[in-house]
Amino acid sequence: MIDSPAPELAVSGLERRGQGEPRVLAFVRGGLDHLSPEALRAIRAELRGLGAELVVVSPDGAWLLRPDDPVEPLAAAGDALAAEVAASAERFGVSAGDDAVFVIDGRGAVRFSYRLPPEAGGACARLASALAIAGRTVHARDRHDPRQRVLFTRREWTVTCLVAGCAAAFLSCKEQTHRPADRRPPPADETPPDLDVTLTINRKPHQLRIDPRTSLLDALRERLGMTGTKKGCDMGQCGACTVLIGGKRVTSCLTLAVMAQGKDITTIEGLAGDGGLHPVQAAFVAHDGLQCGYCTPGQIMSAVALIAEGHATSDDEVREQMSGNLCRCGAYPNIIAAIQSARRSRG
Ligand code: FES
Ligand code: FES
């Protein structure tokens, strides 16, 4: 099955999800029934390394896990789900009573499969170890032969879609304006033309002419001089570049600027009002929630959103919800104290 197209996974709730994204598919008896916070943290860390989402299916339910989002139930237990899971497992060659993990790349091909040993701990702990094995195997294979990359990263997938979209638009334009004898594909190395975009940042419109491959992060920092948003990994893994789009947290290094048109973008520069610092900014100062300060703008933007979402009800929940924002200085205890204090002062 390795390197061949993945069989169809016909589980209700999954039909239109994750098209073109790397995915880990896990058939796990008992599902996520005993998912501890430690196991969830371990699973999310592995998903972050793989740049993939995880779909867990079992007769007891189906769930979608992403590195930085709450666990999303997709389907509830029942005869219909049991039949769908059994049929899908058969297509993947998983016998009844077996647990197995499959890594499927952004092009829909199976790149790794692994049967979970039955004896080693609970289902969720076994799942976390299987993901760790998948991560090591996948990255070792990438290092050995980069041309055979196992997974598209989210960034690569976005850029690939954009380039494919530009190519399609270019070809359709050629079709309308040239005689059939003139039709030729564009040269492979042709740079896409610049685009005029208007970005609404901190309630003000900004007009830019940009390469359509420009990330929102680069548009902010390099084109608009808004350097409050930081560039850490530039790969979607550290959270330093977090901004809000429509009030939701996004990593701006993985967001194309053209995709943010027509939406309300809020950066760290837009938080403080006439009355002074935003309450979360003030709480970070009061609780000393920073050391070098490099991660701080991203931490604050995430904190603002998670408080607004009503997620910061316990320290554990704050840790979980902020797990996509890394701090090399380890200022975590003070960051949590600052967020809880800002939440309490909000009432
Ligand atoms: Fe965007 Fe690290 S710079 S997540
Ligand atoms: Fe230095 Fe977080 S305060 S990286």
Side-chain angles (χ1 to χ4, degrees), residues 290-296 327-329:
L290 58 142
Q291 289 182 34
C292 77
Y294 197 81
C295 71
T296 310
C327 174
R328 285 185 307 181
C329 301

Short mmCIF file of all heavy atoms in Angstrom, two decimals, residues 290-296 327-329, ligand 2:
data_model
loop_
_atom_site.label_atom_id
_atom_site.label_comp_id
_atom_site.label_asym_id
_atom_site.label_seq_id
_atom_site.Cartn_x
_atom_site.Cartn_y
_atom_site.Cartn_z
N LEU A 290 7.37 37.89 30.54
CA LEU A 290 8.32 37.87 29.42
C LEU A 290 9.73 37.98 29.94
O LEU A 290 9.95 38.47 31.06
CB LEU A 290 8.04 39.03 28.46
CG LEU A 290 8.10 40.43 29.06
CD1 LEU A 290 8.73 41.39 28.08
CD2 LEU A 290 6.71 40.89 29.43
N GLN A 291 10.65 37.49 29.11
CA GLN A 291 12.06 37.73 29.43
C GLN A 291 12.69 38.49 28.26
O GLN A 291 12.73 39.70 28.27
CB GLN A 291 12.75 36.41 29.74
CG GLN A 291 12.27 35.87 31.09
CD GLN A 291 12.96 34.59 31.48
OE1 GLN A 291 14.13 34.37 31.18
NE2 GLN A 291 12.23 33.72 32.16
N CYS A 292 13.07 37.78 27.18
CA CYS A 292 13.64 38.54 26.06
C CYS A 292 12.54 39.28 25.30
O CYS A 292 12.81 40.26 24.62
CB CYS A 292 14.41 37.62 25.12
SG CYS A 292 13.36 36.63 24.02
N GLY A 293 11.32 38.78 25.37
CA GLY A 293 10.19 39.48 24.75
C GLY A 293 9.93 39.11 23.31
O GLY A 293 8.97 39.60 22.72
N TYR A 294 10.75 38.22 22.74
CA TYR A 294 10.57 37.94 21.31
C TYR A 294 9.24 37.25 21.02
O TYR A 294 8.56 37.55 20.05
CB TYR A 294 11.73 37.08 20.77
CG TYR A 294 11.78 37.14 19.26
CD1 TYR A 294 12.37 38.22 18.62
CD2 TYR A 294 11.20 36.14 18.48
CE1 TYR A 294 12.38 38.32 17.24
CE2 TYR A 294 11.21 36.22 17.11
CZ TYR A 294 11.81 37.31 16.48
OH TYR A 294 11.81 37.40 15.12
N CYS A 295 8.86 36.33 21.89
CA CYS A 295 7.62 35.58 21.66
C CYS A 295 6.39 36.37 22.12
O CYS A 295 5.26 35.96 21.87
CB CYS A 295 7.65 34.25 22.40
SG CYS A 295 7.50 34.44 24.20
N THR A 296 6.62 37.48 22.84
CA THR A 296 5.52 38.13 23.59
C THR A 296 4.37 38.63 22.71
O THR A 296 3.21 38.42 23.06
CB THR A 296 6.09 39.26 24.47
OG1 THR A 296 7.20 38.73 25.21
CG2 THR A 296 5.05 39.77 25.44
N CYS A 327 7.96 29.59 23.99
CA CYS A 327 8.80 30.63 24.60
C CYS A 327 10.15 30.01 24.91
O CYS A 327 10.24 29.12 25.76
CB CYS A 327 8.15 31.17 25.87
SG CYS A 327 9.21 32.31 26.76
N ARG A 328 11.18 30.46 24.22
CA ARG A 328 12.51 29.87 24.44
C ARG A 328 13.04 30.23 25.83
O ARG A 328 13.86 29.54 26.38
CB ARG A 328 13.50 30.38 23.39
CG ARG A 328 13.31 29.75 22.04
CD ARG A 328 14.37 30.20 21.10
NE ARG A 328 14.46 31.65 21.06
CZ ARG A 328 15.30 32.33 20.30
NH1 ARG A 328 16.15 31.68 19.55
NH2 ARG A 328 15.32 33.64 20.29
N CYS A 329 12.57 31.34 26.37
CA CYS A 329 13.05 31.75 27.70
C CYS A 329 12.33 30.99 28.82
O CYS A 329 12.72 31.12 29.98
CB CYS A 329 12.85 33.24 27.90
SG CYS A 329 13.69 34.25 26.68
FE1 FES B 2 11.98 35.14 25.27
FE2 FES B 2 9.54 34.13 25.21
S1 FES B 2 10.27 35.74 26.45
S2 FES B 2 11.15 33.74 23.87
#
